[in-house]
Amino acid sequence: MTDYILRGGEVIDGSGGPRFRADVAIAGDRIAEIGAVGRAAGAREIDVTGRIVAPGFIDVHTHDDRALFATPQMAAKASQGVTTVVTGNCGISLAPLTIDYAPPPPLDLIGEAADYRYGRFADYLAALDRSPAALNAACLVGHSTLRVGAMSALDRPAEPHELTRMGEFLQEALDAGAVGLSSGLAYAPAEHAPPAEIEALAALLRPAAALYTTHMRNEGSGVLDSLAESFAVGRAAGVPVVISHHKTIGRDNFGRTGETLPVIAAAIAKQEVGLDAYPYIASSTVLSAGQAERASKVLVTWSKSAPEQAGRELAAIAAAWGVSVKDAVDRLQPAGAIYWMMDEPDVQRVLRFPHTMIGSDGLPHDFHPHPRLWGTFPRVLGHYCRDLGLFGLEEAVRKMTGLPAARFGLSGRGAIVAGAWADLTVFDPATVIDRATFEVPTTPAAGIEHVFVNGRPVWAAGKPSGERPGRVLRRQQMQAQHVE
Ligand SMILES: [Zn+2]
């Protein structure tokens, strides 16, 4: 029985192909019919004339592991048309790990000690099953999380028995349904992990047909070496690699995506490689003196020691306190920050690259977050696609739907075809735009009119519907569907 008919819109199906005029009928959790759909008794008609009907967007780079519980309506993402989030990026996942002390940065970006309470990945996914969010979740296991759980000290390579333990944790997570392993080799908990440690763990991914994503060791002067290291992991383990939030940072490296993208393209010709990016020239993570030194401007996003400083510039805080920037960084710890350290032409070059997926990298628990948390997808659609003309709308949608669904093995999603899961976003191509700014970062976007997840509305009339139809997208279930 038909539940909804989206009447009179232009369908962009996620494949990159041209839009076409069609009605879309939803029955239960599936897309039932596309074309000239007749009236159906009991079906709710929604007039979407002049609007785009697209597959729901897939945010491939999130830190929403705990946000799915803390803010189950997921308004930051639903308001952008996102219907699926990939969690556990940059080496940090909420599971599998239990600790009774403050998590080392950057694990503190997603939770405090009490939040790390899932000793098995299966327990975390079961908790999501019991308490579903509005959006679907595909979950990565973080290498740094594995290290914290398995090692007695993090400032060295793993001992053989520790590596065995990490492998057991990872295998449990893969058996439970994790879609892959992420690393954050630029961060303290993982920077002493040699390539051999990553390759040993990545070897477990191949039998599971899972993938490896990486926040590389170096995105500055050493970016080419880091790309080579990342590709080598993929080749050694025989698994796909995703380069996270690709960029070249620091003034000395402005323009160098002109070097990195051809290197990535050459790798793609030989092995499975993907990449994601967010549409801003500022990054955001934990506050550190080293990062602050390389940025032209730093905005504090949260501070445990001085919470009232969130939203202020680091230089102004240091001046007000009459201390050096380095001392201000120490006094604010633990803390987070936004760093201006990219060049706009690099951001545009990476976004335009045909293999680039869109990922917000939003930090949902920051007090004064980077606007990418609420603005990424509408900013690509409105600012970069419509206003600057970087690419056509069909290509923008493909980067958010068909491309990531294929890369992460999300079968039956990221496409508008009969029989696919009814994850759908209806937006106005003339008005869609991000409204979250660095000053007021939690403002919902304009132009996203209806969002459906598994056939149920999660966002309409500028607010969450209150429904929570999201599902855990377990790797085995998706692979089984793929074979059908
Ligand atoms: Zn990262």
Side-chain angles (χ1 to χ4, degrees), residues 203-403:
L204 299 175
L205 301 172
R206 186 179 167 86
L211 53 63
Y212 170 62
T213 76
T214 179
H215 174 157
M216 299 192 298
R217 213 174 278 282
N218 192 306
E219 295 176 315
S221 56
V223 66
L224 293 176
D225 289 342
S226 284
L227 283 173
E229 179 185 354
S230 306
F231 302 151
V233 170
R235 286 197 308 276
V239 298
V241 178
V242 172
I243 307 299
S244 294
H245 43 56
H246 182 54
K247 56 186 173 294
T248 54
I249 57 172
R251 185 162 292 279
D252 294 347
N253 300 300
F254 284 2
R256 292 195 63 202
T257 59
E259 293 170 56
T260 62
L261 293 177
V263 167
I264 293 172
I268 288 171
K270 288 182 268 181
Q271 65 184 102
E272 279 197 75
V273 174
L275 69 162
D276 61 72
Y278 51 80
Y280 296 88
I281 58 165
S283 63
S284 184
T285 181
V286 287
L287 177 63
S288 78
Q291 292 251 79
E293 223 165 64
R294 289 185 292 169
S296 59
K297 179 173 141 186
V298 180
L299 195 66
V300 172
T301 52
W302 58 276
S303 163
K304 271 269 160 81
S305 324
E308 74 285 355
Q309 302 300 334
R312 296 191 67 201
E313 270 192 55
L314 179 62
I317 296 169
W321 287 350
V323 301
S324 69
V325 165
K326 167 110 189 30
D327 287 343
V329 167
D330 288 343
R331 278 211 214 170
L332 289 159
Q333 294 296 326
I338 296 168
Y339 305 93
W340 274 261
M341 46 209 273
M342 283 174 260
D343 199 25
E344 178 66 26
D346 283 315
V347 171
Q348 295 189 16
R349 196 179 289 120
V350 174
L351 288 175
R352 258 199 327 263
F353 189 58
H355 305 285
T356 302
M357 302 177 282
I358 308 302
S360 70
D361 202 7
L363 296 170
H365 310 295
D366 283 14
F367 184 80
H368 187 97
H370 188 303
R372 67 194 185 186
L373 176 65
W374 286 78
T376 290
F377 290 80
R379 183 170 171 80
V380 170
L381 295 171
H383 179 63
Y384 284 107
C385 172
R386 181 188 59 229
D387 296 348
L388 298 190
L390 276 197
F391 31 66
L393 194 53
E394 285 82 354
E395 174 67 359
V397 169
R398 186 185 71 88
K399 288 170 169 294
M400 306 173 173
T401 59
L403 182 63

Side-chain angles (χ1 to χ4, degrees), residues 71-86:
T71 55
Q73 309 300 330
M74 295 294 287
K77 299 294 170 67
S79 61
Q80 300 183 56
V82 170
T83 56
T84 295
V85 296
V86 177

Side-chain angles (χ1 to χ4, degrees), residues 18 27 88 104 130 162 218 242 453:
R130 284 194 303 272
E162 292 169 333
N218 192 306
V242 172
V453 172

Side-chain angles (χ1 to χ4, degrees), residues 1 20 33 40 114 134 157 199 248 317 328 361 417 465 484:
M1 188 187 120
F20 54 94
E33 198 180 345
E199 287 174 14
T248 54
I317 296 169
D361 202 7
V417 292
S465 70
E484 268 169 19

Side-chain angles (χ1 to χ4, degrees), residues 61 63 90 187 215 245 361:
H61 193 107
H63 297 288
C90 300
Y187 291 114
H215 174 157
H245 43 56
D361 202 7

